[in-house]
Amino acid sequence: MRKNSITKYIITSLCIFLISLSLFVFSSGLLKNFFGDPNKYINSHFSAEDIRFFILNVLLIFILLLISWIIYLLLSVEYRAASIAGEETESITISLTQFTKLYEESPVPYVILDEAGNINDPNKATLRFFEASREEIEGQNLFYFCSKEDKEKSEKLFEYYKSDMPINKEELQFNTKKENQKFALVSVFLTKGFGPSNKGLATIFDITERKKLDKAKTEFLSLASHQLRTPTATIKWYADMLLSGSLGEFNEKQKDYINTIQKVNQNMIEITNTLLNISKIEVGSIKPEKKLVNVKELTESIFTELNPQISEKNLNIKKQYNDKLKNVEIDPKFLKIVIHNLISNAVKYTPEGGTISVKFEDSSQGRMIIVSDTGIGIPKAEQDKVFSKLFRAENARNVGTSQSSGLGLYLVKSLIENMGGNIEFSSIENQGSTFIIRL
Amino acid sequence: MNQERQKTVLIIDDDSNLRKVLVDKLSLSGFKVVGAGDGEEGLNKALEIHPDIILLDILMPKMDGWAVLGSLRSDEWGKNAKIIMLTAVEDAKAVAKAVEDGSFSYIIKTENSMNEMIEKIEDVLGSN
């Protein structure tokens, strides 16, 4: 296109040159009257008429040159404008080609949705995702494409779409034309640039592989922890038998050893329980079952269970119960795991003679269970990772190394969020930590 | 217990180590103990010897605990048999069934101690 415009300039310039030349030839014909007679040069006899004629001719040439100059200017402006427009058209064409290529060849499935949520212009990745031909999915409602399992959610998202609300990375399950189940994170951007009846651009980010891996991991976790439970139960009952004395008495050293076996085995049971609970939550196979729970009684039972460790470390326990927390509608199993984890962490990480406080509050800020300790605390640099899987603070690694899986707080947070609550904490290294659960 | 007729306990569990320690403990506690290594064998023994109480594992080869329970409940003698399910994990189904069926309880292997198990057996035996 640029070459083309240069040619136009050259042609224009040539035209102007030719016009100017013809004007010159024409005007020189007129001047011949004046310059034609050589005697006039020699004798220098110019009449007044000659001079007028001369001036008139010069003026005429000047005017004609001016006109041709204006024509040149006008032509060049027009050509320049045409050339810019041409360049723009060219760049738009390039962008369109690039966009079309990107849209069509993108590994991410894209579809344009009309006002009714029907699919227009699915790209190749969309066809691959739905394992369908263009004709099979074009015109179908994207939200009705979801599988039965996500029917409720997809209907809700469709309502959002109809009320002009954007959708951001919502996980949905789809059934493909070949009856395969696929998972995707669906986002819909509302836009007016895709034609009169089109309303949004949807991206369907395929996460099926990720979900499969997650499922395999969770199933493995579940199977492994399930399989570990039978041998741990066997060890527990054999140690029970030995400690009961029904098979004869042991000396103190032997008893101490059997106790250690029992204690370590108990840790293993707790870790497998935690793993099993995590896998259940991740797979969604356990949902909170609300019952009326006396939170005070539940907490007291946990203190009874942990009493041997509390006595061993000579810890002070401060309790501040609120009667309103006697009857709370909540899942008792979930809540027990949560409170048990927080108190046992406090016991584990508080040095001898320290203090652990449990406080129940029921105020305008909601119902709260606050567990605080005067323990080793969590270093500031590591506080943002507290609720992540397998987290163990640097200073905690030196304390009770065999007693922690690093999964407890991850499980606590998952359970609380599953019950619709939240958890936060504050901690100062070497001074202690406070965990606040809002139910 | 010793003055009364010696009660028979049938243990149906595929884990031989676990069966062994249960047989020892229950024998020491004064019960007559019979063991079975899978569901099918257990069901046959139960219908043959009519034990006073059955300790029944859930996850087993051939026939699982729920299938054995179902077969027992459809038998004239078995419909009233006293049964305790042995579970590795707290099982919602076991809890729910135990509540609706008075002659039925459950023991979580990793959580209940042997003494708690004996208490549960005596509780179920004492109930009518």
Side-chain angles (χ1 to χ4, degrees):
Chain A
M1 181 56 101
R2 189 164 288 278
K3 257 186 191 170
N4 215 355
S5 64
I6 290 168
T7 320
K8 277 180 185 168
Y9 271 114
I10 293 168
I11 292 168
T12 316
S13 307
L14 265 170
C15 288
I16 288 163
F17 176 72
L18 286 172
I19 291 166
S20 306
L21 194 70
S22 48
L23 282 172
F24 179 72
V25 172
F26 170 70
S27 50
S28 55
L30 290 171
L31 285 172
K32 201 180 168 189
N33 289 331
F34 182 70
F35 293 109
D37 184 1
N39 292 330
K40 284 186 182 173
Y41 292 104
I42 300 159
N43 302 324
S44 300
H45 282 149
F46 298 109
S47 65
E49 197 184 340
D50 285 339
I51 292 168
R52 263 201 315 276
F53 188 74
F54 174 77
I55 293 168
L56 205 67
N57 272 297
V58 168
L59 267 174
L60 196 63
I61 290 168
F62 180 74
I63 287 164
L64 287 170
L65 276 172
L66 196 68
I67 289 168
S68 59
W69 178 245
I70 288 167
I71 290 169
Y72 168 78
L73 274 183
L74 284 173
L75 280 172
S76 65
V77 165
E78 194 184 312
Y79 277 135
R80 197 168 296 134
S83 138
I84 289 168
E87 278 172 20
E88 275 174 3
T89 314
E90 186 186 355
S91 114
I92 287 169
T93 313
I94 290 172
S95 303
L96 195 66
T97 316
Q98 283 174 342
F99 170 76
T100 312
K101 190 95 180 148
L102 266 175
Y103 184 86
E104 267 305 308
E105 305 297 331
S106 162
V108 179
Y110 289 125
V111 291
I112 290 166
L113 297 180
D114 69 9
E115 277 166 357
N118 295 331
I119 297 172
N120 282 331
D121 294 327
N123 69 349
K124 286 181 187 168
T126 308
L127 305 181
R128 284 197 299 274
F129 179 80
F130 287 112
E131 299 177 312
S133 68
R134 196 169 289 274
E135 294 71 34
E136 281 173 317
I137 56 167
E138 215 157 23
Q140 295 230 39
N141 188 300
L142 173 69
F143 300 94
Y144 295 156
F145 238 85
C146 293
S147 61
K148 280 196 304 250
E149 289 82 351
D150 272 349
K151 194 168 177 278
E152 212 174 292
K153 190 177 180 186
S154 65
E155 279 171 3
K156 199 175 82 187
L157 291 174
F158 186 34
E159 287 304 315
Y160 282 179
Y161 178 73
K162 284 196 283 190
S163 24
D164 290 343
M165 282 162 75
I167 295 167
N168 188 26
K169 291 183 186 161
E170 289 291 342
E171 191 182 312
L172 285 173
Q173 199 177 329
F174 292 94
N175 276 338
T176 71
K177 279 280 163 191
K178 290 184 180 169
E179 298 296 318
N180 287 321
Q181 278 194 333
K182 288 201 174 176
F183 294 87
L185 292 177
V186 176
S187 300
V188 180
F189 310 97
L190 301 171
T191 173
K192 286 181 177 155
F194 289 112
S197 61
N198 290 331
K199 186 174 158 184
L201 170 73
T203 62
I204 306 156
F205 193 80
D206 190 355
I207 53 164
T208 312
E209 283 307 308
R210 200 167 87 193
K211 291 291 281 188
K212 273 187 195 163
L213 281 174
D214 250 18
K215 194 167 171 246
K217 180 210 72 185
T218 309
E219 279 172 358
F220 171 75
L221 202 66
S222 170
L223 186 76
S225 41
H226 209 278
Q227 292 299 319
L228 272 172
R229 289 176 69 104
T230 305
T232 49
T234 312
I235 296 170
K236 180 185 166 75
W237 282 357
Y238 273 88
D240 252 14
M241 275 289 274
L242 291 174
L243 286 171
S244 70
S246 50
L247 301 173
E249 284 301 316
F250 291 98
N251 65 35
E252 284 310 304
K253 194 79 184 166
Q254 286 165 327
K255 271 189 192 166
D256 183 36
Y257 276 33
I258 301 166
N259 267 319
T260 307
I261 292 171
Q262 188 73 300
K263 221 155 83 181
V264 172
N265 187 53
Q266 194 55 40
N267 282 332
M268 208 147 86
I269 289 172
E270 274 162 27
I271 291 170
T272 49
N273 281 348
T274 306
L275 285 171
L276 205 58
N277 283 323
I278 285 174
S279 67
K280 280 181 186 171
I281 284 177
E282 289 183 348
V283 129
S285 66
I286 46 166
K287 299 262 180 282
E289 284 171 31
K290 285 185 181 177
K291 281 181 194 163
L292 270 185
V293 179
N294 186 330
V295 185
K296 183 185 166 187
E297 265 180 24
L298 188 132
T299 312
E300 281 297 317
S301 74
I302 293 167
F303 273 120
T304 311
E305 277 175 39
L306 294 170
N307 199 42
Q309 293 97 303
I310 292 169
S311 309
E312 198 181 320
K313 288 178 111 175
N314 206 14
L315 299 169
N316 304 305
I317 305 294
K318 286 186 184 166
K319 300 168 192 167
Q320 205 179 318
Y321 295 131
N322 183 314
D323 278 351
K324 283 186 187 168
L325 279 153
K326 270 189 179 168
N327 279 310
V328 179
E329 217 185 344
I330 203 158
D331 185 306
K333 273 189 284 174
F334 279 26
L335 190 65
K336 186 170 180 184
I337 296 171
V338 165
I339 301 178
H340 191 283
N341 261 286
L342 292 181
I343 298 178
S344 82
N345 271 354
V347 172
K348 247 181 257 173
Y349 300 116
T350 302
E352 275 196 45
T355 304
I356 293 171
S357 318
V358 176
K359 194 175 162 191
F360 292 174
E361 270 185 22
D362 189 353
S363 65
S364 54
Q365 290 180 302
R367 287 177 312 206
M368 287 187 280
I369 301 172
I370 304 161
V371 179
S372 48
D373 62 57
T374 56
I376 58 170
I378 303 153
K380 204 166 176 60
E382 294 181 274
Q383 290 189 358
D384 55 337
K385 291 179 272 175
V386 161
F387 295 111
S388 56
K389 246 186 231 180
L390 298 173
F391 168 78
R392 293 206 69 201
E394 199 55 49
N395 57 347
R397 290 173 204 270
N398 309 320
V399 186
T401 42
S402 66
Q403 294 174 23
S404 176
S405 60
L407 290 163
L409 286 175
Y410 172 78
L411 176 66
V412 163
K413 190 168 191 276
S414 307
L415 287 172
I416 291 173
E417 286 175 356
N418 224 286
M419 293 189 285
N422 64 60
I423 181 165
E424 56 186 68
F425 76 99
S426 60
S427 183
I428 299 171
E429 199 172 354
N430 298 322
Q431 286 189 33
S433 305
T434 299
F435 284 83
I436 303 168
I437 306 166
R438 284 198 174 79
L439 297 174
Chain B
M1 158 128 319
N2 289 335
Q3 281 93 37
E4 294 172 22
R5 178 184 67 87
Q6 198 183 24
K7 305 270 184 181
T8 310
V9 183
L10 171 65
I11 301 165
I12 311 174
D13 196 311
D14 62 321
D15 190 302
S16 58
N17 289 325
L18 207 78
R19 229 170 39 236
K20 189 173 145 196
V21 74
L22 283 174
V23 169
D24 287 352
K25 176 70 185 177
L26 291 167
S27 304
L28 284 166
S29 305
F31 293 97
K32 184 183 173 203
V33 193
V34 180
D38 62 62
E40 212 173 86
E41 187 193 344
L43 179 65
N44 291 336
K45 280 196 176 165
L47 297 174
E48 186 192 323
I49 63 169
H50 292 183
D52 295 287
I53 192 161
I54 301 168
L55 299 188
L56 178 59
D57 187 26
I58 295 180
L59 284 176
M60 280 184 299
K62 291 188 189 172
M63 211 178 169
D64 74 6
W66 295 118
V68 175
L69 184 71
S71 302
L72 282 172
R73 289 299 184 233
S74 61
D75 177 79
E76 191 53 34
W77 168 81
K79 69 181 178 199
N80 295 317
K82 292 177 173 174
I83 298 165
I84 292 180
M85 301 300 278
L86 294 172
T87 82
V89 190
E90 189 167 343
D91 188 306
K93 198 172 162 189
V95 179
K97 284 210 172 196
V99 171
E100 73 188 41
D101 187 342
S103 61
F104 170 65
S105 182
Y106 66 96
I107 288 169
I108 304 167
K109 295 177 190 175
T110 48
E111 282 177 29
N112 294 115
S113 68
M114 296 216 100
N115 287 335
E116 283 167 343
M117 182 193 62
I118 299 288
E119 278 169 25
K120 283 209 180 192
I121 292 172
E122 282 172 352
D123 273 359
V124 173
L125 281 173
S127 69
N128 282 305

mmCIF file of all heavy atoms in Angstrom, chain A residues 226 229-230 232-234 236-238 240-241 246-247 269 276 280 333, chain B residues 15 17-18 20-22 24-25 28 59 88-89 109-110 112-114:
data_model
loop_
_atom_site.group_PDB
_atom_site.id
_atom_site.type_symbol
_atom_site.label_atom_id
_atom_site.label_comp_id
_atom_site.label_asym_id
_atom_site.label_seq_id
_atom_site.Cartn_x
_atom_site.Cartn_y
_atom_site.Cartn_z
ATOM 1 N N HIS A 226 -7.377 -45.037 54.391
ATOM 2 C CA HIS A 226 -8.322 -46.079 54.783
ATOM 3 C C HIS A 226 -7.579 -47.384 55.062
ATOM 4 O O HIS A 226 -7.816 -48.053 56.066
ATOM 5 C CB HIS A 226 -9.343 -46.276 53.662
ATOM 6 C CG HIS A 226 -10.656 -46.731 54.161
ATOM 7 N ND1 HIS A 226 -10.900 -48.044 54.431
ATOM 8 C CD2 HIS A 226 -11.779 -46.053 54.484
ATOM 9 C CE1 HIS A 226 -12.139 -48.152 54.888
ATOM 10 N NE2 HIS A 226 -12.695 -46.960 54.926
ATOM 11 N N ARG A 229 -5.682 -47.555 58.310
ATOM 12 C CA ARG A 229 -6.426 -47.597 59.564
ATOM 13 C C ARG A 229 -6.494 -48.997 60.161
ATOM 14 O O ARG A 229 -6.419 -49.154 61.380
ATOM 15 C CB ARG A 229 -7.822 -47.007 59.380
ATOM 16 C CG ARG A 229 -7.775 -45.513 59.200
ATOM 17 C CD ARG A 229 -9.142 -44.989 58.917
ATOM 18 N NE ARG A 229 -10.001 -45.095 60.081
ATOM 19 C CZ ARG A 229 -10.327 -44.079 60.855
ATOM 20 N NH1 ARG A 229 -9.869 -42.883 60.577
ATOM 21 N NH2 ARG A 229 -11.117 -44.236 61.884
ATOM 22 N N THR A 230 -6.656 -50.007 59.316
ATOM 23 C CA THR A 230 -6.769 -51.362 59.870
ATOM 24 C C THR A 230 -5.483 -51.770 60.595
ATOM 25 O O THR A 230 -5.546 -52.199 61.754
ATOM 26 C CB THR A 230 -7.174 -52.366 58.774
ATOM 27 O OG1 THR A 230 -8.369 -51.865 58.189
ATOM 28 C CG2 THR A 230 -7.410 -53.744 59.324
ATOM 29 N N THR A 232 -3.261 -49.830 61.923
ATOM 30 C CA THR A 232 -3.093 -49.013 63.142
ATOM 31 C C THR A 232 -4.055 -49.484 64.230
ATOM 32 O O THR A 232 -3.715 -49.482 65.418
ATOM 33 C CB THR A 232 -3.279 -47.508 62.862
ATOM 34 O OG1 THR A 232 -4.477 -47.320 62.113
ATOM 35 C CG2 THR A 232 -2.112 -46.899 62.127
ATOM 36 N N ALA A 233 -5.264 -49.901 63.807
ATOM 37 C CA ALA A 233 -6.224 -50.412 64.798
ATOM 38 C C ALA A 233 -5.693 -51.703 65.428
ATOM 39 O O ALA A 233 -5.824 -51.914 66.636
ATOM 40 C CB ALA A 233 -7.562 -50.671 64.116
ATOM 41 N N THR A 234 -5.062 -52.525 64.582
ATOM 42 C CA THR A 234 -4.508 -53.787 65.095
ATOM 43 C C THR A 234 -3.419 -53.510 66.121
ATOM 44 O O THR A 234 -3.406 -54.096 67.213
ATOM 45 C CB THR A 234 -3.944 -54.628 63.919
ATOM 46 O OG1 THR A 234 -4.931 -54.651 62.890
ATOM 47 C CG2 THR A 234 -3.598 -56.032 64.341
ATOM 48 N N LYS A 236 -3.042 -50.835 67.874
ATOM 49 C CA LYS A 236 -3.683 -50.244 69.061
ATOM 50 C C LYS A 236 -4.236 -51.344 69.986
ATOM 51 O O LYS A 236 -4.008 -51.324 71.196
ATOM 52 C CB LYS A 236 -4.813 -49.327 68.587
ATOM 53 C CG LYS A 236 -5.602 -48.629 69.690
ATOM 54 C CD LYS A 236 -6.769 -47.861 69.056
ATOM 55 C CE LYS A 236 -7.764 -47.431 70.082
ATOM 56 N NZ LYS A 236 -7.315 -46.305 70.872
ATOM 57 N N TRP A 237 -4.924 -52.327 69.413
ATOM 58 C CA TRP A 237 -5.538 -53.348 70.255
ATOM 59 C C TRP A 237 -4.508 -54.330 70.836
ATOM 60 O O TRP A 237 -4.671 -54.815 71.950
ATOM 61 C CB TRP A 237 -6.643 -54.072 69.457
ATOM 62 C CG TRP A 237 -7.912 -53.218 69.387
ATOM 63 C CD1 TRP A 237 -8.092 -52.002 69.986
ATOM 64 C CD2 TRP A 237 -9.126 -53.517 68.715
ATOM 65 N NE1 TRP A 237 -9.344 -51.530 69.705
ATOM 66 C CE2 TRP A 237 -10.007 -52.438 68.924
ATOM 67 C CE3 TRP A 237 -9.566 -54.594 67.936
ATOM 68 C CZ2 TRP A 237 -11.291 -52.401 68.402
ATOM 69 C CZ3 TRP A 237 -10.864 -54.552 67.424
ATOM 70 C CH2 TRP A 237 -11.716 -53.473 67.644
ATOM 71 N N TYR A 238 -3.454 -54.596 70.085
ATOM 72 C CA TYR A 238 -2.396 -55.450 70.640
ATOM 73 C C TYR A 238 -1.705 -54.747 71.808
ATOM 74 O O TYR A 238 -1.453 -55.354 72.852
ATOM 75 C CB TYR A 238 -1.369 -55.837 69.562
ATOM 76 C CG TYR A 238 -1.761 -57.082 68.790
ATOM 77 C CD1 TYR A 238 -2.560 -56.994 67.668
ATOM 78 C CD2 TYR A 238 -1.344 -58.352 69.197
ATOM 79 C CE1 TYR A 238 -2.942 -58.113 66.946
ATOM 80 C CE2 TYR A 238 -1.718 -59.486 68.489
ATOM 81 C CZ TYR A 238 -2.515 -59.368 67.360
ATOM 82 O OH TYR A 238 -2.893 -60.487 66.666
ATOM 83 N N ASP A 240 -3.005 -52.439 73.638
ATOM 84 C CA ASP A 240 -4.039 -52.421 74.682
ATOM 85 C C ASP A 240 -3.986 -53.701 75.518
ATOM 86 O O ASP A 240 -4.011 -53.659 76.753
ATOM 87 C CB ASP A 240 -5.418 -52.394 73.992
ATOM 88 C CG ASP A 240 -6.112 -51.048 74.125
ATOM 89 O OD1 ASP A 240 -5.430 -50.080 74.508
ATOM 90 O OD2 ASP A 240 -7.319 -50.981 73.816
ATOM 91 N N MET A 241 -3.914 -54.813 74.774
ATOM 92 C CA MET A 241 -3.881 -56.118 75.431
ATOM 93 C C MET A 241 -2.665 -56.250 76.344
ATOM 94 O O MET A 241 -2.763 -56.695 77.484
ATOM 95 C CB MET A 241 -3.813 -57.237 74.382
ATOM 96 C CG MET A 241 -5.154 -57.659 73.830
ATOM 97 S SD MET A 241 -6.103 -58.551 75.034
ATOM 98 C CE MET A 241 -5.490 -60.215 74.802
ATOM 99 N N SER A 246 -3.422 -58.508 81.225
ATOM 100 C CA SER A 246 -4.085 -59.811 81.215
ATOM 101 C C SER A 246 -3.169 -60.908 80.669
ATOM 102 O O SER A 246 -3.472 -62.094 80.817
ATOM 103 C CB SER A 246 -5.390 -59.746 80.408
ATOM 104 O OG SER A 246 -5.148 -59.147 79.161
ATOM 105 N N LEU A 247 -2.082 -60.528 80.046
ATOM 106 C CA LEU A 247 -1.136 -61.547 79.550
ATOM 107 C C LEU A 247 0.105 -61.635 80.452
ATOM 108 O O LEU A 247 1.133 -62.162 80.061
ATOM 109 C CB LEU A 247 -0.708 -61.218 78.112
ATOM 110 C CG LEU A 247 -1.832 -61.144 77.085
ATOM 111 C CD1 LEU A 247 -1.316 -60.648 75.762
ATOM 112 C CD2 LEU A 247 -2.496 -62.507 76.909
ATOM 113 N N ILE A 269 -2.761 -42.654 63.796
ATOM 114 C CA ILE A 269 -4.222 -42.731 63.609
ATOM 115 C C ILE A 269 -4.775 -41.317 63.358
ATOM 116 O O ILE A 269 -5.586 -41.102 62.461
ATOM 117 C CB ILE A 269 -4.904 -43.374 64.858
ATOM 118 C CG1 ILE A 269 -4.570 -44.870 64.900
ATOM 119 C CG2 ILE A 269 -6.406 -43.153 64.829
ATOM 120 C CD1 ILE A 269 -5.008 -45.574 66.174
ATOM 121 N N LEU A 276 -7.893 -38.480 55.792
ATOM 122 C CA LEU A 276 -9.178 -39.005 55.344
ATOM 123 C C LEU A 276 -10.232 -37.891 55.311
ATOM 124 O O LEU A 276 -11.007 -37.774 54.350
ATOM 125 C CB LEU A 276 -9.609 -40.119 56.295
ATOM 126 C CG LEU A 276 -10.548 -41.168 55.748
ATOM 127 C CD1 LEU A 276 -9.942 -41.858 54.549
ATOM 128 C CD2 LEU A 276 -10.859 -42.192 56.818
ATOM 129 N N LYS A 280 -12.136 -36.377 52.083
ATOM 130 C CA LYS A 280 -13.608 -36.357 52.032
ATOM 131 C C LYS A 280 -14.124 -34.962 51.694
ATOM 132 O O LYS A 280 -15.055 -34.805 50.913
ATOM 133 C CB LYS A 280 -14.190 -36.792 53.382
ATOM 134 C CG LYS A 280 -14.215 -38.278 53.585
ATOM 135 C CD LYS A 280 -14.828 -38.559 54.932
ATOM 136 C CE LYS A 280 -14.786 -40.006 55.308
ATOM 137 N NZ LYS A 280 -15.195 -40.196 56.704
ATOM 138 N N LYS A 333 -19.439 -33.072 64.612
ATOM 139 C CA LYS A 333 -18.175 -33.737 64.246
ATOM 140 C C LYS A 333 -17.167 -32.719 63.714
ATOM 141 O O LYS A 333 -16.004 -32.701 64.088
ATOM 142 C CB LYS A 333 -18.441 -34.811 63.180
ATOM 143 C CG LYS A 333 -18.829 -36.144 63.751
ATOM 144 C CD LYS A 333 -18.862 -37.195 62.667
ATOM 145 C CE LYS A 333 -20.118 -37.021 61.829
ATOM 146 N NZ LYS A 333 -20.210 -37.865 60.674
ATOM 147 N N ASP B 15 -9.238 -59.645 58.603
ATOM 148 C CA ASP B 15 -7.871 -59.388 59.081
ATOM 149 C C ASP B 15 -7.539 -60.387 60.197
ATOM 150 O O ASP B 15 -8.082 -60.311 61.305
ATOM 151 C CB ASP B 15 -7.786 -57.944 59.592
ATOM 152 C CG ASP B 15 -6.361 -57.527 59.887
ATOM 153 O OD1 ASP B 15 -5.690 -58.196 60.726
ATOM 154 O OD2 ASP B 15 -5.906 -56.538 59.306
ATOM 155 N N ASN B 17 -4.842 -60.866 61.994
ATOM 156 C CA ASN B 17 -4.192 -60.323 63.202
ATOM 157 C C ASN B 17 -5.220 -59.716 64.148
ATOM 158 O O ASN B 17 -5.159 -59.909 65.362
ATOM 159 C CB ASN B 17 -3.174 -59.256 62.820
ATOM 160 C CG ASN B 17 -1.964 -59.850 62.147
ATOM 161 O OD1 ASN B 17 -1.544 -60.959 62.494
ATOM 162 N ND2 ASN B 17 -1.420 -59.144 61.170
ATOM 163 N N LEU B 18 -6.152 -58.990 63.543
ATOM 164 C CA LEU B 18 -7.190 -58.347 64.353
ATOM 165 C C LEU B 18 -8.095 -59.415 64.991
ATOM 166 O O LEU B 18 -8.471 -59.316 66.167
ATOM 167 C CB LEU B 18 -8.022 -57.414 63.461
ATOM 168 C CG LEU B 18 -8.659 -56.265 64.203
ATOM 169 C CD1 LEU B 18 -7.639 -55.181 64.487
ATOM 170 C CD2 LEU B 18 -9.790 -55.675 63.381
ATOM 171 N N LYS B 20 -7.244 -62.407 65.735
ATOM 172 C CA LYS B 20 -6.486 -63.114 66.776
ATOM 173 C C LYS B 20 -6.552 -62.362 68.114
ATOM 174 O O LYS B 20 -6.847 -62.955 69.148
ATOM 175 C CB LYS B 20 -5.029 -63.252 66.317
ATOM 176 C CG LYS B 20 -4.184 -64.132 67.180
ATOM 177 C CD LYS B 20 -2.834 -64.307 66.510
ATOM 178 C CE LYS B 20 -1.746 -64.395 67.539
ATOM 179 N NZ LYS B 20 -0.425 -64.197 66.935
ATOM 180 N N VAL B 21 -6.305 -61.065 68.071
ATOM 181 C CA VAL B 21 -6.294 -60.298 69.318
ATOM 182 C C VAL B 21 -7.702 -60.209 69.912
ATOM 183 O O VAL B 21 -7.890 -60.248 71.132
ATOM 184 C CB VAL B 21 -5.631 -58.899 69.128
ATOM 185 C CG1 VAL B 21 -6.494 -57.922 68.369
ATOM 186 C CG2 VAL B 21 -5.232 -58.298 70.484
ATOM 187 N N LEU B 22 -8.711 -60.179 69.021
ATOM 188 C CA LEU B 22 -10.092 -60.142 69.519
ATOM 189 C C LEU B 22 -10.457 -61.472 70.181
ATOM 190 O O LEU B 22 -11.093 -61.491 71.246
ATOM 191 C CB LEU B 22 -11.066 -59.866 68.368
ATOM 192 C CG LEU B 22 -11.157 -58.413 67.883
ATOM 193 C CD1 LEU B 22 -12.034 -58.305 66.645
ATOM 194 C CD2 LEU B 22 -11.718 -57.525 68.986
ATOM 195 N N ASP B 24 -8.402 -63.571 71.602
ATOM 196 C CA ASP B 24 -7.699 -63.629 72.895
ATOM 197 C C ASP B 24 -8.401 -62.794 73.954
ATOM 198 O O ASP B 24 -8.652 -63.238 75.061
ATOM 199 C CB ASP B 24 -6.254 -63.125 72.729
ATOM 200 C CG ASP B 24 -5.391 -64.149 71.986
ATOM 201 O OD1 ASP B 24 -5.891 -65.270 71.763
ATOM 202 O OD2 ASP B 24 -4.247 -63.810 71.596
ATOM 203 N N LYS B 25 -8.716 -61.547 73.590
ATOM 204 C CA LYS B 25 -9.309 -60.634 74.566
ATOM 205 C C LYS B 25 -10.667 -61.156 75.037
ATOM 206 O O LYS B 25 -10.965 -61.194 76.237
ATOM 207 C CB LYS B 25 -9.462 -59.232 73.931
ATOM 208 C CG LYS B 25 -10.151 -58.203 74.801
ATOM 209 C CD LYS B 25 -9.285 -57.800 75.986
ATOM 210 C CE LYS B 25 -10.030 -56.864 76.926
ATOM 211 N NZ LYS B 25 -9.229 -56.540 78.101
ATOM 212 N N LEU B 28 -10.379 -64.242 77.181
ATOM 213 C CA LEU B 28 -9.947 -63.846 78.533
ATOM 214 C C LEU B 28 -11.089 -63.197 79.304
ATOM 215 O O LEU B 28 -11.125 -63.232 80.523
ATOM 216 C CB LEU B 28 -8.764 -62.894 78.454
ATOM 217 C CG LEU B 28 -7.412 -63.520 78.123
ATOM 218 C CD1 LEU B 28 -6.397 -62.450 77.749
ATOM 219 C CD2 LEU B 28 -6.900 -64.322 79.330
ATOM 220 N N LEU B 59 -15.851 -53.967 55.558
ATOM 221 C CA LEU B 59 -15.137 -54.179 54.298
ATOM 222 C C LEU B 59 -14.478 -55.552 54.279
ATOM 223 O O LEU B 59 -13.493 -55.785 54.968
ATOM 224 C CB LEU B 59 -14.067 -53.093 54.103
ATOM 225 C CG LEU B 59 -14.572 -51.721 53.685
ATOM 226 C CD1 LEU B 59 -13.418 -50.744 53.619
ATOM 227 C CD2 LEU B 59 -15.285 -51.771 52.335
ATOM 228 N N ALA B 88 -13.726 -49.325 60.211
ATOM 229 C CA ALA B 88 -12.425 -48.659 60.299
ATOM 230 C C ALA B 88 -12.631 -47.158 60.432
ATOM 231 O O ALA B 88 -11.860 -46.449 61.049
ATOM 232 C CB ALA B 88 -11.603 -48.967 59.061
ATOM 233 N N VAL B 89 -13.703 -46.684 59.810
ATOM 234 C CA VAL B 89 -13.987 -45.246 59.810
ATOM 235 C C VAL B 89 -15.404 -45.071 60.337
ATOM 236 O O VAL B 89 -16.248 -45.932 60.127
ATOM 237 C CB VAL B 89 -13.970 -44.704 58.357
ATOM 238 C CG1 VAL B 89 -14.013 -43.189 58.365
ATOM 239 C CG2 VAL B 89 -12.772 -45.219 57.618
ATOM 240 N N LYS B 109 -12.803 -49.207 64.980
ATOM 241 C CA LYS B 109 -11.585 -49.917 65.383
ATOM 242 C C LYS B 109 -10.476 -49.003 65.899
ATOM 243 O O LYS B 109 -9.786 -49.331 66.855
ATOM 244 C CB LYS B 109 -11.061 -50.731 64.198
ATOM 245 C CG LYS B 109 -11.977 -51.854 63.764
ATOM 246 C CD LYS B 109 -11.383 -52.523 62.541
ATOM 247 C CE LYS B 109 -12.344 -53.493 61.902
ATOM 248 N NZ LYS B 109 -11.791 -54.044 60.657
ATOM 249 N N THR B 110 -10.286 -47.851 65.227
ATOM 250 C CA THR B 110 -9.158 -47.006 65.641
ATOM 251 C C THR B 110 -9.481 -46.132 66.848
ATOM 252 O O THR B 110 -8.593 -45.533 67.431
ATOM 253 C CB THR B 110 -8.733 -46.082 64.492
ATOM 254 O OG1 THR B 110 -9.906 -45.482 63.963
ATOM 255 C CG2 THR B 110 -7.986 -46.834 63.416
ATOM 256 N N ASN B 112 -12.119 -46.956 69.435
ATOM 257 C CA ASN B 112 -12.540 -47.605 70.662
ATOM 258 C C ASN B 112 -11.450 -48.527 71.197
ATOM 259 O O ASN B 112 -10.829 -49.265 70.425
ATOM 260 C CB ASN B 112 -13.826 -48.390 70.424
ATOM 261 C CG ASN B 112 -14.997 -47.468 70.096
ATOM 262 O OD1 ASN B 112 -15.530 -47.503 69.008
ATOM 263 N ND2 ASN B 112 -15.365 -46.619 71.022
ATOM 264 N N SER B 113 -11.250 -48.454 72.519
ATOM 265 C CA SER B 113 -10.266 -49.352 73.121
ATOM 266 C C SER B 113 -10.913 -50.721 73.300
ATOM 267 O O SER B 113 -12.123 -50.873 73.119
ATOM 268 C CB SER B 113 -9.810 -48.801 74.472
ATOM 269 O OG SER B 113 -10.891 -48.859 75.370
ATOM 270 N N MET B 114 -10.106 -51.708 73.679
ATOM 271 C CA MET B 114 -10.648 -53.061 73.851
ATOM 272 C C MET B 114 -11.662 -53.104 74.988
ATOM 273 O O MET B 114 -12.667 -53.808 74.900
ATOM 274 C CB MET B 114 -9.506 -54.039 74.135
ATOM 275 C CG MET B 114 -8.565 -54.144 72.973
ATOM 276 S SD MET B 114 -7.957 -55.800 72.778
ATOM 277 C CE MET B 114 -8.953 -56.425 71.493
#
